[in-house]
Amino acid sequence: MHRINIVGRLGNDPELRTTGGGDPVVNFSLADTERWKNKSTGETDSRTEWFRCACFGRQAEIIAQYCKKGQNLAVEGKLRTSTYEKDGQTQYKTEIIVSNFELIAPRENDSMPPSKPQSESTPEFVEDSVPF
């Protein structure tokens, strides 16, 4: 059995559709960027790999509802390669069939806004108010 785990950022908003049998399926791309310091120049280099992903069923609906472009997401699944004909040429498409996923909250210094803005009326914790 082969498994793949990827943590990356969504490259686009997930696209929810239904199969011919009426089951929900969502497709999205996930970008994983590797960074390293170039030994000869001392500069930071990077390379981004893009992964096509597909998810089915209730998980597909959840991803479509709660995930947006740029959000961090961890996915686990298996690789599937399929073929199709385009302009008389055989084309190959490899994608991750997602079996599990986890939404990853953005770091404080990320450029994405927080998912829930803090209310100004949130009470401040006061140690003397704890009854024990």
Side-chain angles (χ1 to χ4, degrees), residues 52-100:
R52 295 179 189 196
C53 300
C55 187
F56 298 87
R58 179 67 183 131
Q59 289 185 329
E61 295 171 333
I62 293 169
I63 288 174
Q65 184 176 358
Y66 294 105
C67 296
K68 300 292 179 218
K69 178 181 178 177
Q71 185 172 7
N72 288 319
L73 187 67
V75 299
E76 176 186 358
K78 61 183 177 178
L79 290 177
R80 179 178 66 186
T81 301
S82 55
T83 60
Y84 61 96
E85 293 290 323
K86 182 177 180 182
D87 299 328
Q89 299 287 326
T90 302
Q91 303 290 316
Y92 297 91
K93 177 175 81 169
T94 301
E95 62 187 347
I96 299 171
I97 304 302
V98 177
S99 58
N100 293 308

Side-chain angles (χ1 to χ4, degrees), residues 10-54:
L10 289 168
N12 55 352
D13 288 342
E15 299 173 23
L16 182 65
R17 56 186 178 79
T18 56
T19 64
D23 295 324
V25 60
V26 70
N27 296 96
F28 57 93
S29 60
L30 200 61
D32 178 40
T33 302
E34 175 185 15
R35 291 181 177 83
W36 67 92
K37 184 167 267 197
N38 187 317
K39 291 180 182 179
S40 61
T41 65
E43 295 179 9
T44 301
D45 286 334
S46 66
R47 176 178 44 236
T48 300
E49 295 288 336
W50 287 91
F51 300 90
R52 295 179 189 196
C53 300

